[in-house]
């Protein structure tokens, strides 16, 4: 926890003079998505509030916002915890991803497309593979899909999917072999990028739909083994 709190202290400057619960929630959401607070972690009001330099009331409001987004759960007489997903949660996350991500690609205008963000995420993944950093590879994969969604140019869609991707990361945290989970999808990211560079929107959508179906199957298989329906039901 000390390392996580030190990271939050670095984020304190982001709050500036107009700290709000929404901005605190943004910071905590990002930290959860990046893996600083794994599922089941109890979030201490005193420690986190002290690290960020915010009041207890502000922090509680931020916790409430993230509970509404299903990233946190409040347990009576125990406190606030990072949520542990159920298998049903994971399946629903992927249904949402398929609906939104495929629709984004299908709705693209005529090429060329603004693909710098996608290319950057692929390069991030390639660096992670060279360094054998599989957790960072998982993050790069999420960045790829976040940049894909951003092609829609919709703030509302970005906001919706930001919390969906944060929830997805909660599922990734319980995986015992992140290399096996994430490495095969770097090549698929490259294929989707290449299709979009070539202006082949329909091909990119087809690749993406198969990608998400295969990823769902793999994640659920691993997640069910590691957590299981009964164990994951807590929170």
């Amino acid at each position: 926890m000390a390392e996580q709190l030190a990271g939050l202290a670095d984020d304190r400057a982001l709050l500036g003079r107009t700290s709000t619960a929404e901005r605190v929630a943004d910071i905590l959401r990002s930290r959860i998505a990046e893996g600083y607070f794994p599922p089941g972690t109890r979030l201490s009001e005193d420690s986190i509030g002290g690290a960020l330099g915010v009041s207890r009331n502000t922090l509680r409001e931020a916790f409430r916002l993230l509970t509404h987004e299903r990233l946190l759960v409040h347990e009576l007489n125990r406190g606030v915890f990072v949520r542990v997903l159920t298998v049903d949660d994971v399946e629903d996350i992927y249904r949402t991803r398929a609906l939104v991500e495929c629709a984004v690609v299908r709705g693209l205008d005529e090429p060329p497309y603004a693909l710098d963000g996608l290319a950057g995420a692929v390069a991030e993944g390639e660096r992670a593979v060279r360094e054998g950093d599989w957790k960072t590879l998982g993050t790069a994969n999420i960045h790829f899909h976040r940049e894909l969604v951003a092609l829609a140019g919709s703030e509302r869609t970005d906001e919706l999917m930001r919390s969906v991707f944060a929830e997805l990361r909660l599922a990734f945290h319980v995986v015992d072999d992140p290399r096996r989970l994430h490495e095969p999808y770097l090549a698929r990211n490259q294929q989707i990028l290449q299709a979009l560079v070539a202006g082949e929107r329909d091909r990119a959508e087809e690749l993406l739909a198969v990608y998400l179906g295969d990823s769902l199957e793999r994640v659920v298989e691993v997640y069910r083994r590691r957590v299981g329906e009964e164990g994951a039901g807590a929170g």
Side-chain angles (χ1 to χ4, degrees):
M1 179 64 74
E3 180 181 350
Q4 292 94 325
L5 293 175
L8 282 180
D10 292 339
D11 288 333
R12 184 171 179 170
L14 298 176
L15 296 174
R17 296 182 179 180
T18 57
S19 61
T20 64
E22 289 81 4
R23 295 183 72 180
V24 173
D26 283 343
I27 289 171
L28 293 178
R29 185 189 302 106
S30 295
R31 290 293 180 172
I32 290 169
E34 299 296 334
Y36 286 88
F37 298 112
T41 300
R42 182 180 180 275
L43 301 184
S44 165
E45 288 185 1
D46 291 339
S47 298
I48 292 177
L52 289 175
V54 298
S55 70
R56 187 181 296 268
N57 286 340
T58 295
L59 187 60
R60 285 178 176 174
E61 176 63 12
F63 284 171
R64 187 191 69 79
L65 292 170
L66 295 178
T67 298
H68 180 70
E69 294 179 16
R70 298 175 299 276
L71 295 177
L72 302 181
V73 61
H74 179 267
E75 297 186 9
L76 188 63
N77 299 324
R78 294 192 64 217
V80 175
F81 295 79
V82 179
R83 191 160 175 256
V84 179
L85 302 182
T86 66
V87 172
D88 284 347
D89 289 326
V90 176
E91 291 175 337
D92 193 39
I93 287 168
Y94 271 87
R95 277 193 294 269
T96 302
R97 292 186 66 193
L99 285 169
V100 173
E101 294 186 48
C102 290
V104 166
V105 174
R106 190 181 317 122
L108 290 174
D109 294 328
E110 293 303 312
Y113 309 119
L115 301 176
D116 288 349
L118 283 179
V122 168
E124 179 186 359
E126 290 170 341
R127 287 193 299 272
V129 169
R130 289 195 299 269
E131 296 168 5
D133 187 345
W134 310 117
K135 178 180 175 182
T136 296
L137 177 59
T139 299
N141 282 346
I142 290 178
H143 287 170
F144 178 87
H145 290 275
R146 189 175 65 193
E147 293 293 341
L148 186 71
V149 169
L151 293 176
S154 165
E155 292 183 4
R156 290 172 178 81
T157 306
D158 289 343
E159 183 177 354
L160 166 68
M161 295 305 292
R162 179 177 58 183
S163 62
V164 169
F165 290 138
E167 280 194 272
L168 178 65
R169 191 60 190 257
L170 294 182
F172 288 170
H173 290 323
V174 304
V175 175
D176 56 347
D177 189 354
R179 177 177 184 175
R180 180 174 178 267
L181 181 67
H182 299 306
E183 190 173 26
Y185 296 97
L186 176 59
R188 296 191 179 202
N189 290 345
Q190 294 166 332
Q191 290 171 353
I192 292 170
L193 175 60
Q194 290 165 3
L196 290 174
V197 168
E200 298 173 350
R201 182 179 54 197
D202 292 345
R203 173 63 174 159
E205 183 186 354
E206 178 185 349
L207 290 168
L208 178 61
V210 175
Y211 176 126
L212 291 174
D214 290 346
S215 181
L216 169 61
E217 183 177 344
R218 180 174 296 232
V219 171
V220 166
E221 174 194 359
V222 175
Y223 201 81
R224 195 183 300 276
R225 185 177 71 247
R226 290 283 294 173
V227 178
E229 297 272 13
E230 182 176 352

